[in-house]
Amino acid sequence: MIRTTLLTILAAVVLLLLTIVVGVLVGTAPPQPLPVAAQGGIISNVSVVEPGIGIRSNQTIVVAGNTISEVRPATPEERAGGGGYVMPGLIDMHVHHPGIADSLTAYFNVLYLAHGVTTIRDTGQINEDAAVTYAALEAGEIAGPSVVTCGPILDGPGTVWEQAVLLNENNVAAEVERVAQTGASCIKTYGHLSLPLIRQAQAAAAAHGLKVVSHIPVGVSIDDMPTDDAQHLIGVAAPVGDHPNPMADGWRLFDDARVQHVAEVSLNKNMAHTPTLVFLDSNARRLRHAALAEEFPVHLMPPIFVDLFWLPGQTIRLGGERTEETQQLLEDAFQAGLDATGKLHAAGVKIHAGTDMGNPFSVPGASLVQELRYFQRAGLSIEDALAAATLVPGDFLGGGQARIESGAPADLIQLTDNPLEGLDALDSIEVVVADGRFYPRATLDEAVDRYQSHFNNFVWADLLPVMLAPLMGD
């Protein structure tokens, strides 16, 4: 009798454990991915909108393979149907690969497309999975945006990135050549490099035809900095020397004379700026977690991010140690940076839209749209804000990016509403064309719903946060 009872209890325990294991396996199994669409198609009788260039009515766009083969006036028969607007796909000029789970990577790719982002630039690969994902995207094996890469972060002693390549006076040429051999189109220099090493890296990059994307190190003047695209407005504020809050200090001394000087330097060097205002705002207000969760499009993200990964106690790399005092300093700096962005643009400096996706409260695709709204707050017109995510970065990247003409890459957004009348038009996407592949709105929405259901299940929303919390600290 006792033995029978023990066996019954043991069987029940085993069954419970098996149920938990099966539940975890089912809960972590990724949903059906977004199918990779076939290349080629026709968009008939639309108004072609090229922000910064103009608008053409009653046009038909023919896509063959991954390029635009023809843009021509719509025929009388075509004018009987069609309608709407087509603009270039959006470009996010500052992202990082998530490197957390394959299902997350696939979902993020879907979110990019769902918001009209057809090209992303990885400004420093911070995990080993990135190259595999990007190769699969390029080969058309998975659905998602096209990727421009800068290879791994190039930094010096004191770097915060485990995957960073440390440069010294003897290895610069070899490391830059290694990046070039991966097919990258740029290098990313970071904030712990000395000016001599940055100059060596810039010369080596130029020899391989690579652009230089940079964090301007504390202590290096923007006047001396050799870079094609400066990130986060670092170096724009008045220099005040070495300090634990390089994202904030110096903005107290920022004035019209300083912005005029930075504008002149940037124009003389043909230096673009990627402000990443959406990141600077969330970084500045990190302790205002509840407010950020209400204001940012976090409903699209798995709950584990807001509930665990993005809690205020997590690592803050770019803002120094966080206190209420330093947070207020960063919040004031953000407002000054917003003002600086508008003034630099007004002076003719090239501004790129980027989000620093991979940081807290950054949401693939949605944050780029949010960045464009910040540009409007900074004083840019609707058209200029859109150009900062299309024409301007497209010309920087080259290859006909963000142009709607014969021979250009087929990266397009078809909209119901006119985007030149308001950014809300980006909510009226009908079709996204990425690498010549046509993704209807309904198909993208269904994929988003599948992934949201997946990440809101018991395993992701309830079990994993409990399991990971002890490893995350406060």
Side-chain angles (χ1 to χ4, degrees):
M1 181 68 176
I2 295 176
R3 182 177 179 180
T4 300
T5 302
L6 290 175
L7 288 174
T8 301
I9 294 173
L10 180 60
V13 170
V14 170
L15 180 61
L16 176 62
L17 291 175
L18 285 173
T19 301
I20 292 173
V21 170
V22 170
V24 170
L25 290 176
V26 172
T28 55
Q32 179 185 354
L34 174 67
V36 178
Q39 291 178 319
I42 298 177
I43 304 175
S44 299
N45 191 34
V46 291
S47 294
V48 171
V49 178
E50 294 178 284
I53 297 178
I55 183 170
R56 292 171 282 165
S57 301
N58 303 119
Q59 300 291 301
T60 289
I61 303 169
V62 181
V63 174
N66 63 355
T67 61
I68 298 171
S69 64
E70 186 180 12
V71 181
R72 56 171 172 78
T75 66
E77 293 78 13
E78 289 170 338
R79 291 194 183 199
Y85 301 82
V86 168
M87 64 173 285
L90 303 178
I91 302 172
D92 191 330
M93 290 289 275
H94 193 126
V95 310
H96 299 283
H97 183 274
I100 301 175
D102 288 344
S103 55
L104 271 172
T105 299
Y107 178 42
F108 288 178
N109 287 334
V110 170
L111 284 178
Y112 281 125
L113 295 183
H115 290 88
V117 177
T118 57
T119 302
I120 58 176
R121 181 178 69 176
D122 189 317
T123 52
Q125 296 173 14
I126 56 177
N127 64 77
E128 297 176 353
D129 297 332
V132 176
T133 297
Y134 296 158
L137 284 167
E138 184 176 3
E141 297 171 358
I142 56 177
S146 298
V147 183
V148 176
T149 64
C150 295
I153 289 172
L154 305 179
D155 206 2
T159 185
V160 298
W161 300 108
E162 294 180 2
Q163 301 295 333
V165 173
L166 301 185
L167 299 185
N168 58 61
E169 59 184 7
N170 298 315
N171 71 350
V172 173
E175 294 298 346
V176 171
E177 181 178 7
R178 185 171 298 150
V179 173
Q181 290 175 346
T182 67
S185 63
C186 49
I187 63 169
K188 170 73 173 289
T189 64
Y190 212 69
H192 295 87
L193 287 172
S194 66
L195 184 57
L197 287 179
I198 295 172
R199 285 175 170 158
Q200 286 187 47
Q202 190 275 337
H208 291 283
L210 304 181
K211 300 273 192 181
V212 180
V213 178
S214 303
H215 280 212
I216 299 178
V218 174
V220 173
S221 169
I222 194 172
D223 303 56
D224 301 323
M225 183 70 188
T227 188
D228 298 296
D229 190 348
Q231 309 300 292
H232 311 305
L233 299 178
I234 301 174
V236 171
V240 293
D242 193 9
H243 198 279
N245 281 285
M247 302 295 287
D249 292 308
W251 288 106
R252 290 166 297 179
L253 306 176
F254 182 77
D255 55 20
D256 287 343
R258 176 63 184 176
V259 77
Q260 181 179 351
H261 175 74
V262 171
E264 290 173 354
V265 170
S266 300
L267 291 170
N268 288 336
K269 291 173 174 283
N270 196 26
M271 179 192 299
H273 288 265
T274 304
T276 64
L277 295 173
V278 67
F279 159 68
L280 295 181
D281 187 21
S282 63
N283 184 56
R285 295 192 288 154
R286 189 71 57 82
L287 296 184
R288 318 282 193 245
H289 184 265
L292 291 173
E294 288 185 1
E295 296 174 30
F296 283 58
V298 300
H299 64 283
L300 294 169
M301 295 293 285
I304 193 172
F305 282 83
V306 177
D307 297 341
L308 183 62
F309 296 155
W310 293 348
L311 292 176
Q314 302 309 321
T315 302
I316 301 167
R317 292 187 175 92
L318 298 177
E321 293 297 325
R322 188 58 53 90
T323 64
E324 285 291 340
E325 180 181 0
T326 58
Q327 169 151 307
Q328 188 59 56
L329 188 64
L330 283 164
E331 290 183 28
D332 293 343
F334 166 71
Q335 294 300 324
L338 196 70
D339 180 58
T341 298
K343 290 179 177 178
L344 288 174
H345 168 76
V349 176
K350 297 173 184 175
I351 302 295
H352 293 160
T355 61
D356 210 351
M357 170 56 207
N359 277 282
F361 293 95
S362 290
V363 180
S367 287
L368 188 66
V369 177
Q370 190 177 4
E371 181 76 1
L372 301 188
R373 297 190 185 281
Y374 280 58
F375 284 176
Q376 276 195 281
R377 284 176 55 187
L380 277 68
S381 68
I382 296 169
E383 185 168 7
D384 287 342
L386 289 169
T390 53
L391 175 69
V392 179
D395 285 353
F396 182 92
L397 297 175
Q401 289 276 356
R403 299 283 181 161
I404 303 181
E405 60 189 18
S406 178
D411 295 318
L412 307 164
I413 314 170
Q414 184 175 0
L415 306 155
T416 302
D417 301 331
N418 185 353
L420 298 183
E421 295 181 355
L423 295 178
D424 286 347
L426 295 174
D427 295 331
S428 71
I429 291 175
E430 297 178 11
V431 178
V432 175
V433 183
D435 196 35
R437 305 178 190 278
F438 284 60
Y439 295 97
R441 169 87 271 162
T443 300
L444 294 170
D445 286 345
E446 288 170 1
V448 170
D449 289 344
R450 285 197 299 274
Y451 280 101
Q452 286 195 315
S453 295
H454 169 69
F455 290 117
N456 281 279
N457 67 24
F458 168 76
V459 175
W460 274 93
D462 299 297
L463 183 59
L464 286 179
V466 172
M467 295 173 61
L468 294 176
L471 305 176
M472 300 294 294
D474 297 332

